[in-house]
């Protein structure tokens, strides 16, 4: 029976890791992994949990389009291909345990922690580093703490920040064509077997704050996971709208 199963089905027997939004599997190629996107939704460090119907397929499709766009602009990513609508083959990486947050407009924790008014444009964009560790709540890190924890070298931090700013330029321009404001977003990076730093994880409404520029009502503008966090409703419709806009431009 196992011989008749598709390659992606066979990989389900080799699960390496299951996170909040994706499951990672080994493949027959040691340098390639398979990511399966889930419909599960979490917020506030998994204190709030739920399901967004079709989220896995939508986020996989959006991420594929955006990875392809970035690759065409010279930004290296872990993307290889998508064997099914909810699966993505990616390069095996040694993950740098940092979450990079790029902020173009004040929202979320930036407003709560600083008092900056929601919607304030941030120029130049802020690039922040957080410790990718759920046990500590993904705290904001200074460069000194990054080096004390030996999470990355100074050269890696510099390269990651430069790459993040370049990615921000490309994504901001792309979403502007979609008539969407890229408020802020989270990035993760890893190192390939040959030592190259590349963009990993995903780029989707789960990892970006996206505001619809075609409507005026602040709550109606929200096209990202804040709809789930804040119980704004119609989360599935918002994610689908982002996909439609991305596909129309891509």
């Amino acid at each position: 029976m196992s011989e008749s199963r598709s390659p992606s089905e066979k990989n389900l027997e080799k699960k390496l890791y299951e996170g909040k939004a994706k499951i990672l599997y080994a493949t027959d190629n040691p340098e390639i992994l398979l990511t399966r996107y889930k419909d599960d939704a979490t917020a506030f460090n998994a204190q709030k949990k739920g399901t967004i119907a079709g989220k896995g397929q939508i986020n996989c499709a959006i991420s594929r389009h955006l990875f392809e766009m970035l690759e065409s602009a010279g930004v290296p990513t872990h993307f290889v291909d998508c064997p099914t609508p909810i699966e993505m083959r990616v390069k095996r990486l040694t993950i740098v345990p940092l979450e990079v947050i790029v902020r173009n407009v004040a929202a979320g924790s930036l407003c709560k922690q600083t008092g900056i008014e929601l919607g304030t444009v941030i120029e130049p964009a802020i690039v922040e580093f957080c410790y990718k560790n759920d046990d500590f709540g993904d705290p904001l890190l200074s460069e000194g703490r990054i080096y004390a924890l030996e999470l990355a070298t100074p050269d890696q931090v510099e390269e990651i920040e430069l790459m993040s700013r370049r990615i921000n330029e490309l994504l901001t321009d792309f979403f502007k064509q979609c008539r969407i404001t890229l408020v802020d977003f989270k990035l993760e990076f890893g190192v390939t077997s040959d030592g190259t730093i590349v963009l990993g994880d995903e780029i989707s409404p789960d990892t970006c704050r996206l505001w619809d520029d075609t409507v005026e009502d602040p709550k109606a503008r929200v096209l990202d996971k804040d709809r789930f966090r804040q119980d704004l409703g119609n989360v599935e419709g918002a994610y689908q709208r982002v996909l439609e806009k991305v596909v129309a431009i891509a």
Side-chain angles (χ1 to χ4, degrees):
M1 289 290 292
S2 62
E3 291 302 312
S4 65
R5 297 173 68 189
S6 69
S8 61
E9 287 175 322
K10 292 178 184 178
N11 286 322
L12 301 185
E13 300 174 353
K14 306 175 185 177
K15 183 164 76 169
L16 300 176
Y17 171 78
E18 181 166 358
K20 299 169 186 174
K22 296 182 290 296
I23 308 173
L24 197 62
Y25 301 97
T27 73
D28 294 334
N29 184 338
E31 294 300 319
I32 302 296
L33 302 178
L34 181 79
T35 298
R36 168 167 281 199
Y37 285 69
K38 304 186 334 185
D39 289 348
D40 295 353
T42 63
F44 312 116
N45 287 325
Q47 294 179 32
K48 180 177 182 177
K49 299 180 180 180
T51 300
I52 301 173
K55 178 175 81 75
Q57 183 169 333
I58 291 171
N59 282 358
C60 186
I62 292 172
S63 293
R64 175 174 67 85
H65 282 291
L66 296 178
F67 281 140
E68 289 176 338
M69 182 274 290
L70 291 171
E71 287 274 4
S72 69
V75 176
T77 79
H78 70 162
F79 174 75
V80 176
D81 62 20
C82 289
T84 77
I86 61 168
E87 293 177 330
M88 180 181 292
R89 275 191 283 252
V90 299
K91 300 167 189 171
R92 181 186 286 271
L93 303 178
T94 300
I95 297 298
V96 179
L98 295 172
E99 290 184 350
V100 183
I101 302 172
V102 183
R103 300 184 183 275
N104 298 305
V105 180
S109 61
L110 180 62
C111 297
K112 294 176 183 177
Q113 295 170 358
T114 65
I116 298 175
E117 185 177 353
L118 175 69
T120 301
V121 175
I122 308 297
E123 291 182 338
I126 296 172
V127 176
E128 299 176 335
F129 295 92
C130 293
Y131 188 12
K132 185 175 167 58
N133 189 312
D134 289 339
D135 291 340
F136 296 107
D138 302 331
L140 191 65
L141 293 177
S142 64
E143 286 195 31
R145 290 189 177 191
I146 292 173
Y147 306 143
L149 290 166
E150 299 183 343
L151 304 179
T153 67
D155 286 346
Q156 287 176 326
V157 170
E158 181 180 8
E159 184 173 355
I160 287 172
E161 178 169 355
L162 289 173
M163 287 180 66
S164 298
R165 291 193 180 279
R166 175 59 177 158
I167 292 166
N168 184 42
E169 292 174 0
L170 293 166
L171 290 180
T172 297
D173 288 345
F174 179 87
F175 279 117
K176 189 176 295 183
Q177 295 177 63
C178 299
R179 301 188 70 185
I180 290 175
T181 295
L182 179 60
V183 176
D184 58 36
F185 58 102
K186 175 180 71 68
L187 299 173
E188 295 184 18
F189 294 86
V191 183
T192 61
S193 58
D194 66 1
T196 303
I197 294 179
V198 306
L199 176 65
D201 197 38
E202 66 179 282
I203 307 173
S204 73
D206 269 13
T207 62
C208 303
R209 277 194 174 91
L210 304 167
W211 291 351
D212 191 338
D213 292 338
T214 67
V215 297
E216 295 184 3
D217 180 75
K219 292 183 178 180
R221 293 188 69 190
V222 176
L223 297 176
D224 55 73
K225 198 164 71 170
D226 274 350
R227 299 204 71 83
F228 173 74
R229 292 186 186 99
Q230 301 172 16
D231 296 316
L232 298 178
N234 193 28
V235 185
E236 296 88 347
Y239 277 52
Q240 182 63 38
R241 184 162 173 76
V242 174
L243 175 59
E244 292 170 356
K245 285 173 171 282
V246 167
V247 170
I249 298 301

